[in-house]
Amino acid sequence: MMLAISGGVGGAKLAAGLAQVLAPEDLTIAVNTGDDFVHLGLAISPDLDTVMYTLAGLNDTQRGWGLANETWSCMDSLRRLGAADWFQLGDRDLGTHLYRSHRLSQGATLTEVTAELCRAVGIRHAVVPMSDAPARTIIDTSEGELSFQDYFVRRHCEPAFRGIRFEGGAALGDRLDSVLRDGALKAIIFGPSNPILSIRPFLALPGFEAALRGRSVPAVAVSPIIGNAAVKGPLAKIMTEMGTPVSALEVARLYVGLIDAFVIDVVDAPQAPAIRDLGLDVIVTPALMVDAATRNALARTVIEYCSADRKAVRT
Ligand code: GDP
């Protein structure tokens, strides 16, 4: 079995490719919950929903988040009522949040609710939250500390990034913990998720980094930076604000000690020697996922690396 680690959009695209190539019993997808929050009384898990909607083929590819064929009547009502309207909630999407909130209030865990939601849309692979306890990402900015969604959605990542911390002292989710200890685990695959906003929350969970460093299976990460720019989202802006050049090489540095191989796009091939000098194998391959074919091809390349005899690859 392989374990995929995912944030929202970038991780979800690779997860969808992996799910096309691997049987349900051969893949578990663990998803960041640091972005989760309660809004208008509803329990919202943006990355879990992005992964779920993408795997089910229900996501809106134009908008980049939420469900396709969405309508917005409820938002119109909320606006008329003068309620907060900075976080868009589509009518169809609301069903997910209502169901999740209701089941959590009945005492179900986020892992259980996620399994129920996924089953209802026909997903057969395991999608699990990184934690069942609230793990809240807080961003330190030029305007002070902001909760994740305040920074990301309400302020469109405009305040300069200064740092990140996590509130709540969340523990590893039971499913993620058991997969990490499972003798049948064959590989750990980090999708091209934002290494700071989406992957750091995993590393902050007690035991995750130690399990990663002590692993006996290959671990691979895919670069979210292609051609010195982020494919989407604020990663390039954040790296610049951290005083770091925007490159695949700089992302690779963040993963040193945690992975065996780093996947970069063909346009970044000139950076391969410098990444190898960090002690990582480098896989150079088309890494931009624009449709099912490119997602599946990238997934296959990563799986091939993980399945090969490591000694044979290194010599
Ligand atoms: P978020 O939580 O929705 O921001 O999603 P993630 O953290 O999972 O993914 C965001 C990152 O995915 C961004 O930094 C993008 O550059 C990266 N990304 C999005 N699409 C692609 C793609 O097709 N290929 C690669 N290599 N990276 C991508």
Side-chain angles (χ1 to χ4, degrees), residues 25-300:
E25 61 275 18
D26 292 333
L27 176 66
T28 296
I29 302 155
V31 181
N32 172 40
T33 57
D35 306 4
D36 290 15
F37 74 133
V38 175
H39 185 60
L40 301 172
L42 300 171
I44 312 228
S45 296
D47 286 356
L48 279 170
D49 289 347
T50 297
V51 170
M52 177 171 70
Y53 295 157
T54 304
L55 285 185
L58 298 171
N59 59 307
D60 189 303
T61 48
Q62 302 285 293
R63 205 186 317 115
W65 53 268
L67 286 162
N69 306 315
E70 188 58 279
T71 57
W72 305 94
S73 301
C74 183
M75 281 312 294
D76 293 341
S77 304
L78 287 168
R79 247 176 239 117
R80 273 197 299 276
L81 291 166
D85 65 352
W86 56 270
F87 195 86
Q88 299 286 307
L89 294 164
D91 297 332
R92 302 179 72 209
D93 186 37
L94 268 168
T96 302
H97 310 311
L98 285 170
Y99 182 84
R100 178 186 293 115
S101 307
H102 175 60
R103 292 287 293 124
L104 290 174
S105 76
Q106 287 181 321
T109 64
L110 187 57
T111 298
E112 289 165 346
V113 181
T114 302
E116 291 164 10
L117 287 165
C118 286
R119 207 176 304 128
V121 292
I123 295 171
R124 293 165 61 224
H125 296 76
V127 177
V128 305
M130 67 176 198
S131 176
D132 272 309
R136 299 287 178 257
T137 298
I138 310 282
I139 309 293
D140 187 21
T141 76
S142 48
E143 298 178 13
E145 286 200 331
L146 296 172
S147 66
F148 183 84
Q149 297 299 342
D150 268 350
Y151 167 73
F152 198 77
V153 178
R154 194 171 62 80
R155 297 301 323 280
H156 310 287
C157 307
E158 276 159 18
F161 179 94
R162 295 265 165 80
I164 185 167
R165 69 180 179 87
F166 308 94
E167 253 176 17
L172 277 178
D174 286 346
R175 290 291 299 280
L176 176 55
D177 191 36
S178 61
V179 168
L180 286 169
R181 291 167 195 275
D182 194 331
L185 179 65
K186 293 213 171 61
I188 302 171
I189 300 167
F190 289 89
S193 290
N194 186 314
I196 296 147
L197 302 183
S198 297
I199 302 300
R200 283 256 199 104
F202 279 89
L203 297 169
L205 296 172
F208 183 83
E209 186 169 343
L212 199 54
R213 288 184 187 274
R215 76 190 180 280
S216 55
V217 298
V220 179
V222 178
S223 178
I225 298 286
I226 297 181
N228 299 87
V231 178
K232 189 181 164 287
L235 178 57
K237 178 176 184 283
I238 291 174
M239 289 175 84
T240 304
E241 289 162 357
M242 290 168 74
T244 310
V246 179
S247 67
L249 169 64
E250 293 304 322
V251 178
R253 275 189 217 287
L254 302 174
Y255 278 107
V256 170
L258 305 174
I259 58 170
D260 302 289
F262 194 62
V263 178
I264 59 172
D265 189 81
V266 285
V267 301
D268 295 316
Q271 295 175 38
I275 298 172
R276 277 194 197 100
D277 287 346
L278 299 174
L280 299 173
D281 288 342
V282 182
I283 303 168
V284 183
T285 192
L288 188 62
M289 296 173 277
V290 291
D291 54 20
T294 45
R295 289 187 323 214
N296 297 354
L298 181 58
R300 264 199 197 90

